[in-house]
Amino acid sequence: MKRLAILLTIFLVAGCGWSGSDATGRGGKGTIEYWLWDSAQEPGYQKCADAFAAQNPGLTIHISQYGWDVYWQKLTAGFIAGTAPDVFTDHLAKFAQFADLKVLRPLDSLGPTSDLNDGDYQAGLAQLWKGQDGNRYGSPKDWDTIALFYNPASLSAAGVDPSTLSDLTWNPIDGGTFEKTVAHLTVDVNGVRGDQPGFDKTHVKRYGFGSDGGGGGWGQTQWSAFTGSAGWQATDRNPWGTHFNLDQPAFQQTLSWYFGLVRKGYMPTFQEIGGNNPIGPDKQIQSGMAAMALSGSWMLSTFSNLTDAAGKKLNIGIAPTPIGPTGKRASMFNGLADSITTLSKQPENAANWVRFLSGADCQNIIGRSGVVFPARPEGTQLAIDFNRDSRRLDVTPFTDQVTQKTTFLFPVTTNAADITALMIPRMDAVYLGDAPVSSLTTLNDQLNRLFEVAR
Amino acid sequence: MAVDIPTRRRAKPKDDTRLALLFIAPALLGFLVFMIWPALRGIYLSFTKFNLLTPPSFTGFDNYVRMVQDPVFWNALKVTVYYVAVNIAVQTVVALVIAVLMQRLTRRTWLRGIVLTPYLVSNVVAALVFLWILDYQLGIANKLIAATGLDRIAFLTDSTWVIPTIALINVWRHVGYTALLIFAGLQTIPETLYEAARVDGAGEITMFRRITVPLLRPIMALVLIITVVGSFQVFDTVAITTRGGPVDSSRVLQYYIYDMAFGRFQFGYASAMSVALLIVLVVITFVQYRLTRASSSDLA
């Protein structure tokens, strides 16, 4: 018996693997807990918090920042343990699930946020944050698009005129002028360029085109600009699609060409970027590993603060995404919003803060700091001005996508967590070359089954 | 009658049960609250659909049926067993060698201290440090490999290398501790046996094979049970270095369970897989216990 008891103890210790999250220190009465994930945005929002506190005596904002990877896990743990913040920065990919889990408070039900006006924001942004039940779960704070960042020094070394980048075209057959440019920008260790005879694709010094991974999050900074300009949509309708389109030829041909750039030695491999702990496109360009790479407008301040090996400021240029088979360019259009949790013990105060965050005062503060494009057009213009005057950066490759209506929306669906968990390994397998692009048809079936399984 | 009482007292041994219960009560309470109750609740939840935030609904054996049909689960089990095999095999052999060396060659405390040092580093820190050392582009290990003219090795980003690499990272961290456990066992072997053997003309290797190994069996059995159970629960190293990748090649069972519960809100299914892991561990430990006759010694 004793032996059995000892054994049982060992097994039960074995059974209890995961333990505890550290509880967030919650402020006293009148302190609103606010979470965000982008450290670059924290100083700007601290200014908003200070302005809010000045206007609302007795109320203070405590901001906590956690990196993207742990942010959502901490938030989930916070919902379970009752330590979630009053207000948090929410993402389109996630809010539907949280709304289903009933941890978000409809903003319409709270006085200060009951009369948010869709027309105050860039067209289409505010509507995205309405759930299938018609309630509003987020107040728009910013928006983002995708563009091509490049190192002008790498371009001039290859004799490529930066102005030609805005006319690049691509197609899934031969890659068009985009692939020609990428090939020419690629240099192997012997100094042979990717479009020259004798190019050694297994020993590349600088890739023409950087990589941000397999694109398990709908390829936002990876392949979405290509699939989008090939006319492909991830779901039958958006938001709240009921069927996925990963089995369509337009998608699979585009991805076959896109990941083919890896096989040709024009884009770094999964291993080279560090697998699931990747070095981002910013560091790839900074280190000279890549000449150009796609990234989002939220990375503007990161890119503009890059330095070279000598510690000098690195010159950076921005070009629009290439024009695709549809004859147009395309960019995913995503937006963030602030959501209020049902765990908040002071929802009216929280709603006041959210109203302030989505108001002109705060969004103009954010616009003047140039970190992101605020959701209000006036704030957007301030951000454009700041980048032009202070950073000498022309950010119109990002904003033109909106004014020229070449954007498509981030796919908003239910079951976001399952979609991500299923997509990431399958996209990585294609990136690695372990699985053919046609394997994504199986993934598509799995994703479609998620709609059938009542949760 | 008055005469009988002391006699009867002497005849009946004093009953310590109540006192004993009092003494084990705190431990028993902790055992019930923190071990038995969560385990029972976990088993209950494995028969439900539960997203952590709304009440669970009973679904019978649905989660178990799904588990049997889930290729990622079977792959996770395979990957975990592979990890345990590499981890335990290397760790046990190296630990045994270190322990014998400590016993036979040196008595210096500081040397024993050094052997234990990696164990003082937390798993997460060890994983982070090795993540950098082994990085494909920037890691010092790959810089050295490249300097010798060989091709770089994608230790943590290649499906062939990833599990052996993680297993060896954990060997590095745990081998000192395991060696110390074995070393403690070596201390129980009487020195007289070695003296007698030496008189008979036995060398170090013969003494190791004929004396050390047989007499160490009960300790080795215990060490194996503890390390195998611990090894099956590999999680933090995977979470830090690979997050289960590339693709599913390091998606060990614990990581899959964690992701299912806290990433995908499927606590019921995650509980079912936890129960499966519990059963696997019970079976393995029982078999180990039987095979190694851990509770008996050859020393008598």
Side-chain angles (χ1 to χ4, degrees):
Chain A
M1 256 333 267
K2 197 182 94 194
R3 204 188 296 168
L4 189 72
I6 292 167
L7 281 179
L8 206 66
T9 314
I10 297 172
F11 307 148
L12 289 169
V13 174
C16 306
W18 196 79
S19 68
S21 67
D22 52 327
T24 314
R26 294 179 69 84
K29 195 166 185 285
T31 300
I32 298 165
E33 291 291 331
Y34 179 56
W35 284 14
L36 45 79
W37 64 78
D38 188 351
S39 59
Q41 297 184 31
E42 195 177 347
Y45 282 105
Q46 188 57 54
K47 281 187 203 162
C48 286
D50 295 342
F52 177 77
Q55 286 178 23
N56 297 274
L59 284 183
T60 50
I61 309 296
H62 180 250
I63 302 179
S64 302
Q65 180 263 326
Y66 304 104
W68 170 266
D69 291 332
V70 293
Y71 185 85
W72 301 103
Q73 288 170 9
K74 266 193 96 68
L75 200 61
T76 306
F79 286 133
I80 299 158
T83 55
D86 297 289
V87 182
F88 70 99
T89 305
D90 207 347
H91 192 276
L92 277 176
K94 310 277 183 178
F95 95 96
Q97 188 134 35
F98 287 133
D100 287 346
L101 293 169
K102 310 242 177 289
V103 291
L104 300 186
R105 201 177 265 275
L107 299 184
D108 332 70
S109 68
L110 296 163
T113 47
S114 60
D115 60 345
L116 292 178
N117 182 6
D118 291 358
D120 288 345
Y121 306 97
Q122 296 282 6
L125 273 189
Q127 290 87 324
L128 287 176
W129 291 92
K130 287 178 184 163
Q132 280 173 298
D133 55 7
N135 288 323
R136 188 196 297 277
Y137 288 104
S139 68
K141 61 191 301 165
D142 64 25
W143 59 268
D144 54 70
T145 49
I146 305 300
L148 196 61
F149 287 86
Y150 62 88
N151 182 348
S154 304
L155 264 66
S156 65
V160 174
D161 179 359
S163 66
T164 60
L165 294 187
S166 39
D167 302 319
L168 295 181
T169 58
W170 79 274
N171 64 71
I173 313 298
D174 66 3
T177 55
F178 175 78
E179 184 174 325
K180 281 196 179 69
T181 306
V182 166
H184 190 59
L185 288 170
T186 304
V187 192
D188 72 11
V189 286
N190 301 315
V192 181
R193 297 200 167 269
D195 55 356
Q196 292 171 339
F199 169 66
D200 180 1
K201 64 179 183 180
T202 54
H203 294 91
V204 175
K205 182 165 171 264
R206 174 175 302 129
Y207 291 96
F209 192 43
S211 163
D212 204 8
W218 294 115
Q220 187 178 18
T221 53
Q222 294 85 9
W223 37 261
S224 71
F226 300 106
T227 53
S229 57
W232 180 78
Q233 293 283 340
T235 46
D236 54 347
R237 57 190 166 95
N238 195 15
W240 316 119
T242 58
H243 184 86
F244 288 100
N245 294 332
L246 280 74
D247 54 346
Q248 291 184 353
F251 174 75
Q252 298 196 354
Q253 282 164 9
T254 302
L255 259 66
S256 180
W257 166 78
Y258 177 81
F259 289 113
L261 294 175
V262 181
R263 280 11 121 202
K264 292 170 187 161
Y266 300 159
M267 191 160 82
T269 61
F270 180 84
Q271 287 88 353
E272 281 168 308
I273 62 162
N276 287 353
N277 287 294
I279 46 169
D282 52 325
K283 293 186 188 69
Q284 290 170 31
I285 289 179
Q286 181 180 30
S287 63
M289 183 180 171
M292 45 183 204
L294 290 174
S295 196
S297 53
W298 65 90
M299 292 294 283
L300 274 168
S301 68
T302 306
F303 271 100
S304 64
N305 288 328
L306 293 180
T307 52
D308 62 14
K312 262 175 48 192
K313 190 181 175 316
L314 191 73
N315 200 10
I316 288 291
I318 307 169
T321 58
I323 297 160
T326 56
K328 288 178 178 178
R329 56 182 99 254
S331 165
M332 191 179 271
F333 188 43
N334 182 37
L336 306 184
D338 291 303
S339 293
I340 300 176
T341 66
T342 47
L343 279 77
S344 174
K345 294 192 176 64
Q346 41 182 342
E348 290 288 321
N349 289 345
N352 265 317
W353 167 235
V354 168
R355 186 184 177 81
F356 187 79
L357 283 167
S358 54
D361 287 354
C362 176
Q363 300 216 342
N364 289 352
I365 290 173
I366 298 299
R368 276 191 288 269
S369 71
V371 177
V372 287
F373 296 121
R376 287 173 176 263
E378 187 190 346
T380 300
Q381 191 53 51
L382 285 169
I384 296 172
D385 297 348
F386 175 88
N387 278 295
R388 185 191 58 222
D389 301 338
S390 301
R391 291 181 179 149
R392 308 262 167 253
L393 267 185
D394 176 14
V395 295
T396 51
F398 290 107
T399 55
D400 282 354
Q401 300 265 13
V402 180
T403 51
Q404 292 169 9
K405 302 201 186 322
T406 48
T407 60
F408 58 96
L409 296 170
F410 186 95
V412 177
T413 60
T414 48
N415 308 322
D418 286 321
I419 292 170
T420 314
L422 291 171
M423 261 187 99
I424 290 174
R426 295 335 312 164
M427 296 311 303
D428 284 351
V430 174
Y431 185 7
L432 276 158
D434 286 356
V437 170
S438 57
S439 68
L440 298 175
T441 302
T442 315
L443 170 67
N444 198 56
D445 296 341
Q446 287 178 311
L447 296 181
N448 281 333
R449 270 201 296 278
L450 292 174
F451 290 125
E452 295 159 22
V453 181
R455 291 180 60 78
Chain B
M1 289 294 277
V3 185
D4 284 351
I5 295 164
T7 327
R8 234 173 27 201
R9 250 191 204 156
R10 242 178 280 131
K12 191 182 168 192
K14 200 174 167 217
D15 187 4
D16 289 338
T17 311
R18 281 182 177 202
L19 194 64
L21 279 175
L22 188 71
F23 280 133
I24 61 168
L28 188 67
L29 190 71
F31 183 67
L32 290 172
V33 172
F34 296 111
M35 305 286 167
I36 297 292
W37 172 244
L40 291 178
R41 187 161 164 77
I43 292 167
Y44 160 68
L45 288 175
S46 73
F47 295 101
T48 66
K49 179 172 259 185
F50 182 42
N51 65 19
L52 294 148
L53 294 162
T54 51
S57 61
F58 192 78
T59 55
F61 282 91
D62 283 8
N63 288 326
Y64 289 94
V65 172
R66 178 180 165 191
M67 187 168 79
V68 172
Q69 295 168 346
D70 181 359
V72 184
F73 168 78
W74 290 108
N75 179 67
L77 200 60
K78 202 179 84 191
V79 168
T80 311
V81 170
Y82 177 35
Y83 165 84
V84 172
V86 177
N87 179 244
I88 295 300
V90 178
Q91 179 170 290
T92 310
V93 170
V94 177
L96 185 62
V97 170
I98 291 175
V100 171
L101 290 177
M102 282 200 293
Q103 161 86 349
R104 307 297 297 161
L105 294 182
T106 176
R107 292 284 155 109
R108 298 211 174 104
T109 318
W110 64 267
L111 206 64
R112 292 177 196 162
I114 286 176
V115 169
L116 196 63
T117 328
Y119 189 67
L120 305 180
V121 180
S122 96
N123 266 342
V124 171
V125 175
L128 275 173
V129 169
F130 274 101
L131 181 62
W132 279 107
I133 291 176
L134 302 175
D135 186 272
Y136 189 82
Q137 292 283 343
L138 313 163
I140 192 163
N142 267 316
K143 293 260 180 199
L144 288 173
I145 292 170
T148 59
L150 298 169
D151 276 339
R152 289 166 183 264
I153 298 172
F155 289 104
L156 290 162
T157 45
D158 183 281
S159 52
T160 318
W161 283 92
V162 66
I163 282 294
T165 304
I166 294 172
L168 293 183
I169 290 174
N170 284 335
V171 166
W172 175 84
R173 188 180 171 271
H174 290 275
V175 76
Y177 178 71
T178 314
L180 211 69
L181 289 178
I182 299 173
F183 177 70
L186 289 173
Q187 304 280 58
T188 63
I189 302 174
E191 186 59 29
T192 48
L193 291 177
Y194 292 100
E195 281 168 19
R198 224 171 273 128
V199 171
D200 290 342
E204 278 295 328
I205 295 185
T206 314
M207 287 193 286
F208 175 74
R209 281 180 48 224
R210 297 286 168 84
I211 301 175
T212 312
V213 172
L215 291 180
L216 209 53
R217 192 182 40 73
I219 293 291
M220 289 304 287
L222 177 81
V223 166
L224 275 176
I225 288 171
I226 292 175
T227 52
V228 166
V229 170
S231 187
F232 259 99
Q233 293 173 69
V234 56
F235 172 79
D236 27 25
T237 319
V238 171
I240 297 290
T241 56
T242 66
R243 293 178 213 168
V247 193
D248 288 325
S249 50
S250 67
R251 200 170 302 280
V252 291
L253 199 48
Q254 287 273 7
Y255 191 77
Y256 188 46
I257 291 170
Y258 165 80
D259 195 43
M260 193 59 74
F262 296 93
R264 298 172 67 177
F265 308 99
Q266 299 184 25
F267 215 88
Y269 183 44
S271 298
M273 288 192 288
S274 300
V275 171
L277 179 62
L278 181 72
I279 292 167
V280 167
L281 287 182
V282 168
V283 170
I284 287 176
T285 309
F286 185 76
V287 169
Q288 274 188 321
Y289 208 83
R290 273 300 166 89
L291 283 181
T292 55
R293 294 176 293 128
S295 57
S296 64
S297 170
D298 295 333
L299 194 59

